[in-house]
Amino acid sequence: MPTWDYRRPAYYVITIVLADRREPKLGELVVRKPSAGASGANRTDGDWGSVAVARALGLKPDEIEAKVVFSPLGKAIFEHFRRMGEFTPGLEPVYCAVMPDHLHLLVKVVRELKRPLGNAIGGFKTGCEKIYQRLGGEGRLFAEGFVDEIVLKAGQLSAEFDYLVDNPR
């Protein structure tokens, strides 16, 4: 938002995508396999399978439960997100949805930042790139830039959070 001061306190939703989205490096999207007569309470973690299972059965998105099983890189990036506030005083990490080929971050600026939020996001991405290289990755992990959304309207925070939690499905 051109007129917005990105140092200001607010909630922000940030989306960061991999440089090559054809290679899902952050994890694997899995769905709960339907089982005859079993309720959700009776299912175990062994009931999870690839998205191909849901597609083969013709299941619709609202008929499945889905999650992302983090790769070692995805797990390390999630842990790095949880420490964002240590690197940027005034910024609170709230929620991170790690998807196989992108991230959604919900952050809260609790007091005016010394520099715009983009600086903190750039630092986060640089840290992630270092993690990627330490784990043997080559080339760039993330595409240039990021997409942001400022939470300004009543009810928007709840809707954004619901979207992030449900993003795998």
Side-chain angles (χ1 to χ4, degrees):
M1 183 182 292
T3 60
W4 184 261
D5 181 352
Y6 280 86
R7 297 173 301 157
R8 287 180 59 182
Y11 283 94
Y12 299 85
V13 179
I14 308 296
T15 301
I16 303 169
V17 301
L18 294 183
D20 184 355
R21 295 187 77 177
R22 295 171 296 172
E23 289 187 49
K25 296 177 176 142
L26 305 178
E28 179 186 4
L29 182 63
V30 295
V31 297
R32 191 177 293 277
K33 296 177 188 175
S35 53
S39 70
N42 295 331
R43 293 180 177 156
T44 65
D45 276 343
D47 291 324
W48 293 89
S50 74
V51 174
V53 170
R55 287 187 182 129
L57 294 171
L59 297 175
K60 298 180 179 120
D62 61 345
E63 298 173 330
I64 64 170
E65 182 180 349
K67 68 179 181 179
V68 174
V69 177
F70 295 168
S71 67
L73 176 61
K75 183 176 181 179
I77 286 174
F78 179 78
E79 292 302 323
H80 183 58
F81 167 77
R82 292 176 58 187
R83 296 188 351 259
M84 271 184 91
E86 296 172 23
F87 305 111
T88 306
L91 185 134
E92 179 182 307
V94 178
Y95 190 81
C96 178
V98 177
M99 298 300 294
D101 64 351
H102 66 282
L103 302 170
H104 294 291
L105 314 177
L106 175 60
V107 298
K108 180 180 182 184
V109 173
V110 294
R111 64 179 179 275
E112 188 167 305
L113 301 175
K114 290 183 180 179
R115 296 187 293 178
L117 180 62
N119 291 60
I121 301 304
F124 170 76
K125 286 177 65 176
T126 297
C128 292
E129 295 281 351
K130 289 178 182 177
I131 292 167
Y132 177 57
Q133 291 164 2
R134 256 196 323 269
L135 292 174
E138 296 179 8
R140 299 235 9 187
L141 175 62
F142 291 124
E144 299 252 346
F146 59 91
V147 176
D148 69 87
E149 188 170 348
I150 309 162
V151 178
L152 296 172
K153 300 175 192 159
Q156 184 181 359
L157 180 59
S158 177
E160 293 286 356
F161 187 75
D162 289 347
Y163 171 79
L164 296 179
V165 170
D166 197 39
N167 200 237
R169 188 168 60 85

